[in-house]
């Protein structure tokens, strides 16, 4: 085992980043615990307890025939009621999500509906429900794929390093996150930052489509491979989907949209920043023409 004291600052940062990407977010103990010593102490305590007079009497009592249970010893209705509830079938969850989304008449109502919705298993493992933030009146919408660990911890879309890079990308074309609307396709972080399943996306789709319908944006910037596939219905990678103006049809409205690489993609492969810059310039030109 390598001691932390032997690692350089760069090696330690890489190790922490590796654990974060694997889904490890919190330390369980402030100090290291010797589990082997605890186990040996536990065995010694059991041996000591088994040789005591009380333990001998308990073993003798357990060897006697068990008394017939009486009505008084029957399990209480409260205990029998505390059983796990069956999960909602995916098809029914989609219908419930669609009803909840369509019932919302404002973004505030939609946020409340999503927070109260329990039909998606992603919610049960996430800490926060990530909803749109910013200025809906701007007519400009930026949609990412799914919350990351920083988003889940902070309760805001595009937090941490990817959010800092997005702020710089927006500033380069004269925008700020407070003056546009930022959101995610999925409102809950998938465990370990895995890709959401098809069933999970089907359940969440009514919510993101309703966000677009209520926000009524003039143009949409789509970030990342997953989000681009969701809206454009294709299986190509972001490199094949980016840089082309397409249309997103929601609630009898058609909104022009262009996809580019997600800030996390650019942190992993900075060489692709030139591609994202070209897409941002195209987005800026479209906004100027609207």
């Amino acid at each position: 085992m390598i001691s932390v004291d032997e690692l350089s600052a760069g090696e330690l940062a890489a190790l922490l980043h590796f654990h974060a990407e694997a889904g490890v977010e919190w330390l369980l103990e402030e100090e290291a615990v010797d589990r082997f010593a605890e186990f040996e102490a536990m065995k010694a305590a059991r041996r000591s307890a088994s040789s005591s007079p009380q333990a001998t009497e308990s073993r003798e009592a357990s060897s006697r025939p068990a008394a017939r249970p009486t009505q008084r010893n029957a399990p209480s209705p409260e205990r029998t009621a505390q059983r796990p509830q069956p999960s909602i079938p995916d098809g029914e969850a989609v219908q419930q999500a669609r009803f909840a989304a369509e019932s919302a008449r404002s973004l505030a109502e939609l946020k409340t509906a999503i927070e109260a919705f329990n039909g998606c298993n992603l919610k049960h493992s996430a800490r926060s429900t990530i909803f749109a933030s910013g200025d809906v009146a701007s007519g400009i919408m930026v949609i990412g794929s799914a919350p990351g660990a920083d988003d889940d911890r902070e309760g805001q879309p595009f937090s941490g390093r990817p959010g800092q890079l997005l702020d710089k990308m927006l500033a380069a074309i004269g925008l700020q996150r407070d003056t546009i609307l930022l959101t995610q396709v999925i409102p809950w972080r998938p465990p370990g930052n895995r890709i959401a399943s098809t069933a999970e996306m089907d359940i969440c789709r009514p919510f993101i489509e309703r966000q677009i319908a209520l926000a009524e944006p003039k143009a949409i910037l789509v970030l990342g491979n997953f989000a681009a596939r969701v809206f454009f219905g294709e299986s190509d990678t972001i490199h094949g989907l980016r840089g082309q103006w397409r249309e997103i049809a929601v609630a009898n409205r058609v909104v022009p949209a262009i996809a580019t690489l997600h800030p996390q993609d650019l942190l992993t492969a900075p060489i692709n920043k030139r591609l994202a810059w070209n897409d941002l310039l195209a987005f800026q030109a479209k906004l100027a023409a609207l």
Side-chain angles (χ1 to χ4, degrees), residues 111-129:
K111 180 181 180 181
T112 300
I114 295 176
E115 291 174 341
F117 183 76
N118 293 314
C120 183
N121 65 308
L122 293 178
K123 182 179 181 179
H124 306 308
S125 61
R127 175 179 305 177
S128 305
T129 297

Side-chain angles (χ1 to χ4, degrees), residues 143-155:
I143 305 177
S145 298
D150 293 316
D151 303 335
D152 192 37
R153 189 161 42 247
E154 300 296 331

Side-chain angles (χ1 to χ4, degrees), residues 134-142 175 179-181 215-221 253 255-256 283 287 290:
D135 183 11
V136 64
S138 66
I140 304 171
M141 200 168 188
V142 176
L175 300 176
T179 61
I180 62 175
L181 195 64
E216 298 183 344
K218 296 179 296 184
I220 297 176
L221 179 64
R253 295 185 71 253
V255 184
F283 189 67
L287 295 178
L290 293 175

Side-chain angles (χ1 to χ4, degrees), residues 143-147 158 183-187 201 222-228 262:
I143 305 177
S145 298
F158 300 104
T183 191
Q184 307 272 16
V185 170
I186 303 290
M201 185 58 246
V222 180
L223 300 178
N225 191 69
F226 180 79
H262 194 281

Side-chain angles (χ1 to χ4, degrees), residues 177-234:
R177 69 162 57 213
D178 294 338
T179 61
I180 62 175
L181 195 64
L182 298 178
T183 191
Q184 307 272 16
V185 170
I186 303 290
W188 302 287
R189 180 203 177 198
N193 292 340
R194 67 168 172 80
I195 298 175
S197 68
T198 301
E200 291 164 346
M201 185 58 246
D202 290 342
I203 295 171
C204 295
R205 183 183 292 275
F207 295 130
I208 185 60
E209 291 183 345
R210 190 59 177 163
Q211 285 186 59
I212 297 174
L214 292 172
E216 298 183 344
K218 296 179 296 184
I220 297 176
L221 179 64
V222 180
L223 300 178
N225 191 69
F226 180 79
R229 288 180 175 180
V230 167
F231 289 118
F232 302 152
E234 300 182 21

